[in-house]
Amino acid sequence: IFSLEELHKNFSPLVLMSAMAASLTADLVSKHFFGIKPIFNFESLPLLPLKDYYWLILLGVVVGLFGVIYNRGLIKALDFYKNQTIVPKKFAAVIPLSMALVLGMLLPEALGGGHGLIESIRQGDFTLKLLIILVSVKFIFTMFSYGSGVPGGIFLPLLVIGALTGGIFADVVIGLFHLNPQYMNNFVVFAMAGYFTAIVKAPITGSILITEMTGSFHHLLALIIVCMTAYVISDLFESKPIYDELLVRFLANRNAGFPLGDSHKKTLLEVVVCLGSELDCKEIQAIKWPSNCLLVSIRRGESEFIPHGDSVLLAGDFVNVLTSEANAGKTLKRLETLAQANNSSKESTQRK
């Protein structure tokens, strides 16, 4: 689901079958050959009553705002390391290393992947004050760690920060508004999904991810409410998907030693035309296509044809474009902008 929603941006049958086959094979091998178990297991969560669902909307607002702060903080951290002149860039890892040494003595819970931290939250081992300290320290430490350029990632850290946020939210609601304490872990789990959605802008992946962790579809409605609220909040603040933002920075630095492929090699890109986009109901010749690319074919349903200048694109068409590997990232970004729906194009369609 992640590969379709976040990476490919559409539910192409070819990509769906390929991704599903790869995922199921990897799952089979890891479980039955190596005995690897899920890193998180949130089964047997009680079902939150419908009368308390308004708390989910408030939780979605909170994690949505925190997601916006996370995205902007990560970009600021990258800018900090890029512009700072105190520590040579090849020794940038000294900064998070020094922080880790201090935290190892004062607050070791903030170090590591965070699996043990989430288990402690589930068991109620931390006070509200300690949870606030942990989420603040974990956030800052993640920014400085990832920004330094040391190989790592943000997937597990953002889930951990989401869980800590959910723990704080649950503590406040239980303490001030006397919500049943048995629903504490519900808010921890829902906050993880909402925080992921606000940062990555992939609500379907966030909902399915946590649904697998809980082992039940009973919480799907609550998950969707939190995820969609967080998504709307991040959209209102014009927060972009973090992986897209990182890709843009990667492409912007392509002349600074980043290998982006051989300019003589070609690659085929595919985008789907969305309803109300700049491509919808437009003739090929009337569209301002990206430079250095060639429109190869259009797939409509089960048929595929070579377009002409007066061919009209329709919503749901799959557009195949040929370009060089060196320009693939920039070209794909421009094509996605053209193919995705936007307010101005919707208004234009309505006027027509």
Side-chain angles (χ1 to χ4, degrees), residues 276-277 342-352:
S277 68
N342 57 65
N343 294 330
S344 59
S345 60
K346 287 179 182 176
E347 291 171 2
S348 174
T349 304
Q350 289 170 356
R351 286 196 297 271
K352 289 179 181 178

Side-chain angles (χ1 to χ4, degrees), residues 43-346:
E43 294 182 1
S44 304
L45 280 180
L47 196 61
L48 188 70
L50 267 176
K51 64 181 180 66
D52 293 321
Y53 267 39
Y54 60 92
W55 291 117
L56 299 179
I57 298 175
L58 184 57
L59 177 63
V61 172
V62 171
V63 295
L65 291 172
F66 279 20
V68 173
I69 295 171
Y70 186 97
N71 282 8
R72 294 180 180 175
L74 202 63
I75 299 302
K76 292 290 185 183
L78 292 168
D79 290 336
F80 167 78
Y81 277 99
K82 183 179 179 180
N83 299 325
Q84 66 88 23
T85 56
I86 300 174
V87 180
K89 287 182 171 54
K90 61 182 178 180
F91 297 122
V94 170
I95 298 175
L97 175 61
S98 302
M99 295 175 67
L101 291 172
V102 175
L103 289 175
M105 293 183 287
L106 301 179
L107 194 65
E109 294 87 354
L111 300 179
H115 176 263
L117 192 58
I118 292 181
E119 288 297 321
S120 298
I121 298 171
R122 289 177 59 191
Q123 296 167 12
D125 295 341
F126 299 133
T127 62
L128 177 60
K129 182 179 179 180
L130 185 54
L131 283 173
I132 294 173
I133 293 173
L134 282 170
V135 75
S136 303
V137 172
K138 192 72 176 176
F139 178 88
I140 295 171
F141 187 50
T142 300
M143 297 297 108
F144 278 95
S145 296
Y146 186 83
S148 68
V150 176
I154 59 173
F155 184 78
L156 187 56
L158 72 85
L159 289 181
V160 173
I161 295 173
L164 287 166
T165 305
I168 294 171
F169 183 88
D171 263 4
V172 172
V173 171
I174 291 169
L176 295 181
F177 301 97
H178 309 293
L179 184 71
N180 194 324
Q182 70 171 335
Y183 300 120
M184 167 99 178
N185 288 334
N186 292 60
F187 289 103
V188 171
V189 172
F190 298 157
M192 290 170 67
Y195 200 64
F196 173 86
T197 298
I199 293 169
V200 183
K201 305 297 280 289
I204 300 175
T205 302
S207 301
I208 297 298
L209 174 73
I210 304 302
T211 296
E212 282 197 304
M213 288 183 185
T214 57
S216 168
F217 282 98
H218 296 306
H219 304 283
L220 190 57
L221 176 59
L223 283 167
I224 291 174
I225 290 174
V226 176
C227 288
M228 293 312 298
T229 305
Y231 189 95
V232 169
I233 293 299
S234 65
D235 248 13
L236 289 175
F237 285 88
E238 299 181 349
S239 178
K240 298 178 181 178
I242 190 60
Y243 290 120
D244 287 0
E245 284 284 277
L246 296 176
L247 175 62
V248 170
R249 293 182 66 92
F250 178 82
L251 295 174
N253 291 321
R254 65 186 183 278
N255 295 323
F258 289 89
L260 293 182
D262 185 355
S263 60
H264 298 292
K265 293 183 179 180
K266 302 297 183 288
T267 184
L268 194 64
L269 305 176
E270 182 183 72
V271 294
V272 64
V273 179
C274 296
L275 183 66
S277 68
E278 293 183 39
L279 301 183
D280 187 20
C281 298
K282 292 284 186 65
E283 289 187 352
I284 298 294
Q285 60 193 6
I287 299 168
K288 187 176 181 181
W289 296 96
S291 57
N292 303 316
C293 72
L294 176 66
L295 182 58
V296 177
S297 66
I298 296 173
R299 182 158 57 86
R300 183 171 294 163
E302 296 298 321
S303 62
E304 187 171 3
F305 61 92
I306 298 173
H308 301 283
D310 57 354
S311 299
V312 178
L313 292 174
L314 301 176
D317 287 351
F318 287 86
V319 179
N320 295 299
V321 173
L322 188 69
T323 186
S324 66
E325 286 188 354
N327 293 316
K330 181 170 62 176
T331 302
L332 180 60
K333 192 74 177 175
R334 173 58 182 157
L335 287 172
E336 288 177 345
T337 301
L338 289 171
Q340 292 173 1
N342 57 65
N343 294 330
S344 59
S345 60
K346 287 179 182 176

Side-chain angles (χ1 to χ4, degrees), residues 22-43:
S23 299
L24 291 176
T25 303
D27 187 63
L28 177 69
V29 171
S30 63
K31 282 184 179 178
H32 296 282
F33 287 85
F34 297 99
I36 296 176
K37 297 180 180 179
I39 190 168
F40 298 124
N41 188 354
F42 292 97
E43 294 182 1

